[in-house]
């Protein structure tokens, strides 16, 4: 994806800004860029002090110049050394007699105040728009942060995303899933639907790992071949089972890039595609009947169950079972495995839990301003979700043992 060019910031000079600049020049005798940094550091310290003075007013319930009958009152200042974006600096923290004042802008025991970037990125990761982040910061800290500034902060992620997308991968992944989530993205004033294709792997240790995220709208065998070749170029030598929905061209691309890989049609999607033809009143009963197909002990019994379900429901819903027949060659590989392996393949709990995180972005943002903004949000959401991925897949030893026998010599002992 081509990196979006950042607009050049144009300074809008006003009379008020000119006065402030002249005052800075006079006050700090600015002669160099370093002098500007020192001036900004001093101004930052002064601004923080004024913000904490306002917090103290709120804490005590009266302003500095007012009288009060309260038994708590101001008790001077305490010097505190902190690290900021402009270097180490000392700030004056107001104190009260009862030592009950808890400042918010610089909290007790806080030694670093340069984390505004991380706070912005954290809010962006939760799906908040730049406008929402700007409003939140103003509510919390009492100062305005422009949407352009927030965009600049999150743009710092782009090199990290590029490094992450190009990082080396393992040589072998026993199971890989590919799934898509669709988002609305603004493109030159026109809103388009773009798909975010998430590739998730289960490594030989049984742990989940997001391998790649691709944003696009052009499914084809050529497209998927380029995606799979990218995995190969990053070190992937073999995939035993690749589980995906009926993505256009995916079967042909797998055959070209990883000819030994088993393509398994995602059962969860297969069921969903069937039930979309069925109204609510029959959906539960229909879903129960479908289980007799993919829970069958072997392929022949699954085929018998397919015929029974088709005979029962097709007269009422003629299009509902068509895809089971059309896709049987990609559905049927699952029947050669035990229940333990099937559960890992067909429930797709691994990718469904991740998709739940991605769907939050759709609920919080109806339209993304660009495909770059979407990619940043997806990357951050992925990072947030995968921090919790510390355990292995349930019954992985059993699953790995069975796969080792089934695909003899392709997995390390």
């Amino acid at each position: 994806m081509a990196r979006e060019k950042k607009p050049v910031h144009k300074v809008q000079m006003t009379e008020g800004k000119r006065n402030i600049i002249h005052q800075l020049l006079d006050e700090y005798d600015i002669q160099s860029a370093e002098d500007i940094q020192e001036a900004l550091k001093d101004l930052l310290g002064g601004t923080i002090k004024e913000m904490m003075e306002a917090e103290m007013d709120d804490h005590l319930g009266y302003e500095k110049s007012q009288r009060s009958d309260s038994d708590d009152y101001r008790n001077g200042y305490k010097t505190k050394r902190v690290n900021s974006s402009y270097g180490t600096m000392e700030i004056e923290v107001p104190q009260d007699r009862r030592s009950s004042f808890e400042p918010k802008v610089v909290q007790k025991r806080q030694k670093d105040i340069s984390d505004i970037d991380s706070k912005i990125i954290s809010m962006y990761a939760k799906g908040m728009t730049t406008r929402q982040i700007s409003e939140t910061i103003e509510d919390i800290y009492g100062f305005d942060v422009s949407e352009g500034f927030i965009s600049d902060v999150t743009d710092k992620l782009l090199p990290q995303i590029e490094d992450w997308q190009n990082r080396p991968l393992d040589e072998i992944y026993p199971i890989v899933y590919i799934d898509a989530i669709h988002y609305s993205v603004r493109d030159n004033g026109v809103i388009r639907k773009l798909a975010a294709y998430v590739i998730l792997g289960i490594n030989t240790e049984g742990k989940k790992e997001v391998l790649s995220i691709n944003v696009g709208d052009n499914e084809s065998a050529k497209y998927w071949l380029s995606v799979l070749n990218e995995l190969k170029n990053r070190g992937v030598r073999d995939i035993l089972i690749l589980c995906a929905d009926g993505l256009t061209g995916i079967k042909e691309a797998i055959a070209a890039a990883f000819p030994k890989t088993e393509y398994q049609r995602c059962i969860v999607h297969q069921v969903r595609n069937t039930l979309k033809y069925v109204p609510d009143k029959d959906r539960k009963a229909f879903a129960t009947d479908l289980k007799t197909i993919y829970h069958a002990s072997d392929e022949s019994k699954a085929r018998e169950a397919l015929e029974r379900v088709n005979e029962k429901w097709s007269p009422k819903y003629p299009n509902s079972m068509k895809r089971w027949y059309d896709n049987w060659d990609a559905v049927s590989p699952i029947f050669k495995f035990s229940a333990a392996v099937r559960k890992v393949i067909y429930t797709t709990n691994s990718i469904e839990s991740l998709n739940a995180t991605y769907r939050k972005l759709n609920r919080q943002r109806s339209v993304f301003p660009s495909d770059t903004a979407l990619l940043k949000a997806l990357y951050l959401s992925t990072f947030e979700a995968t921090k919790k991925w510390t355990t292995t897949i349930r019954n992985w030893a059993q699953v790995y043992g069975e796969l080792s026998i089934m695909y003899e010599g392709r997995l390390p002992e």
Side-chain angles (χ1 to χ4, degrees):
M1 182 189 302
R3 186 176 297 181
E4 192 178 80
K5 289 185 178 179
K6 291 166 53 177
V8 177
H9 175 68
K10 295 181 180 179
V11 177
Q12 301 294 325
M13 188 57 65
T14 64
E15 191 62 32
K17 288 180 181 179
R18 287 192 183 92
N19 291 336
I20 292 172
I21 291 170
H22 286 305
Q23 289 175 28
L24 286 173
L25 292 172
D26 292 339
E27 181 75 21
Y28 294 100
D29 189 27
I30 293 174
Q31 304 292 330
S32 65
E34 288 77 10
D35 291 340
I36 295 174
Q37 290 286 94
E38 289 301 315
L40 291 173
K41 185 194 297 187
D42 188 57
L43 286 171
L44 176 61
T47 301
I48 289 172
K49 180 181 176 182
E50 290 299 319
M51 292 171 70
M52 286 193 290
E53 291 281 13
E55 286 189 284
M56 178 64 85
D57 289 347
D58 184 64
H59 172 70
L60 296 175
Y62 64 94
E63 296 181 8
K64 197 170 187 179
S65 57
Q66 291 179 323
R67 290 181 177 274
S68 173
D69 296 329
S70 172
D71 62 348
D72 197 10
Y73 50 82
R74 288 170 176 78
N75 190 29
Y77 298 89
K78 179 181 179 181
T79 301
K80 181 175 183 176
R81 185 180 292 270
V82 294
N83 296 320
S84 75
S85 299
Y86 302 106
T88 303
M89 58 186 289
E90 290 186 346
I91 58 174
E92 297 290 325
V93 181
Q95 305 291 298
D96 65 328
R97 190 179 75 84
R98 294 194 308 202
S99 298
S100 57
F101 176 50
E102 297 278 351
K104 300 289 191 299
V105 62
V106 180
Q107 299 178 9
K108 287 183 177 180
R109 294 175 291 280
Q110 184 180 352
K111 300 296 184 182
D112 195 313
I113 60 172
S114 62
D115 62 347
I116 190 67
D117 287 12
S118 64
K119 284 185 171 62
I120 288 172
I121 287 172
S122 177
M123 286 187 277
Y124 202 88
K126 291 175 173 61
M128 295 175 67
T129 65
T130 53
R131 178 174 296 177
Q132 290 169 334
I133 294 170
S134 178
E135 292 171 351
T136 300
I137 289 176
E138 186 170 8
D139 286 343
I140 296 173
Y141 298 107
F143 58 85
D144 180 51
V145 176
S146 71
E147 294 178 38
F149 172 77
I150 293 167
S151 183
D152 287 344
V153 169
T154 56
D155 276 350
K156 293 178 183 178
L157 293 166
L158 295 176
Q160 296 178 33
I161 295 173
E162 189 172 346
D163 290 344
W164 180 82
Q165 289 277 50
N166 293 314
R167 75 194 189 282
L169 300 174
D170 292 351
E171 287 191 0
I172 301 171
Y173 286 91
I175 304 171
V176 167
Y177 310 92
I178 299 179
D179 203 2
I181 301 287
H182 292 84
Y183 299 91
S184 296
V185 178
R186 197 180 308 280
D187 181 16
N188 294 321
V190 178
I191 296 176
R192 294 192 298 140
K193 278 286 186 182
L194 291 184
Y197 299 107
V198 182
I199 303 178
L200 182 144
I202 306 296
N203 63 26
T204 53
E205 296 177 355
K207 292 184 177 179
K208 297 179 290 185
E209 179 185 348
V210 177
L211 308 184
S212 182
I213 302 173
N214 297 275
V215 176
D217 60 351
N218 184 28
E219 282 185 36
S220 65
K222 183 178 179 181
Y223 171 79
W224 286 115
L225 184 58
S226 69
V227 170
L228 295 177
N229 279 334
E230 178 190 324
L231 297 182
K232 291 178 70 175
N233 293 335
R234 292 166 59 193
V236 180
R237 181 172 53 81
D238 195 9
I239 297 169
L240 302 188
I241 305 166
L242 194 150
C243 185
D245 193 17
L247 303 169
T248 304
I250 187 69
K251 185 177 180 181
E252 294 81 3
I254 293 170
F258 295 100
K260 294 182 179 180
T261 296
E262 190 109 61
Y263 170 47
Q264 173 65 54
R265 187 72 176 249
C266 175
I267 300 296
V268 171
H269 285 95
Q270 188 75 15
V271 171
R272 285 177 184 167
N273 290 333
T274 302
L275 296 180
K276 72 181 182 181
Y277 295 99
V278 182
D280 289 342
K281 64 176 183 177
D282 287 334
R283 193 165 291 171
K284 186 175 181 180
F286 205 138
T288 300
D289 286 345
L290 288 175
K291 286 182 182 179
T292 64
I293 302 174
Y294 58 85
H295 283 176
S297 58
D298 57 44
E299 185 178 354
S300 64
K301 289 184 174 59
R303 191 75 189 199
E304 291 172 6
L306 173 62
E307 297 298 338
R308 287 195 299 271
V309 174
N310 183 59
E311 184 178 345
K312 177 179 178 180
W313 292 104
S314 287
K316 195 171 185 179
Y317 307 111
N319 293 319
S320 58
M321 297 301 295
K322 186 175 184 299
R323 290 190 179 186
W324 287 87
Y325 289 93
D326 292 344
N327 302 320
W328 188 253
D329 63 328
V331 171
S332 58
I334 201 169
F335 299 114
K336 70 173 91 172
F337 301 109
S338 70
V341 177
R342 289 191 200 184
K343 192 168 185 180
V344 175
I345 297 172
Y346 72 62
T347 60
T348 62
N349 285 337
S350 302
I351 203 161
E352 285 299 309
S353 63
L354 184 62
N355 283 346
T357 301
Y358 294 147
R359 289 190 187 100
K360 289 180 183 178
L361 297 178
N362 261 334
R363 291 197 295 269
Q364 292 173 310
R365 287 184 168 195
S366 57
V367 179
F368 283 83
S370 66
D371 53 358
T372 301
L374 172 59
L375 185 62
K376 288 188 291 186
L378 288 167
Y379 170 79
L380 287 167
S381 294
T382 302
F383 181 75
E384 285 292 311
T386 57
K387 285 193 296 188
K388 304 171 186 175
W389 290 359
T390 56
T391 58
T392 60
I393 297 294
R394 185 178 297 177
N395 298 324
W396 181 247
Q398 179 184 346
V399 171
Y400 191 84
E402 184 175 332
L403 292 178
S404 296
I405 295 171
M406 185 72 69
Y407 300 99
E408 185 178 0
R410 290 171 63 184
L411 286 176
E413 296 182 2

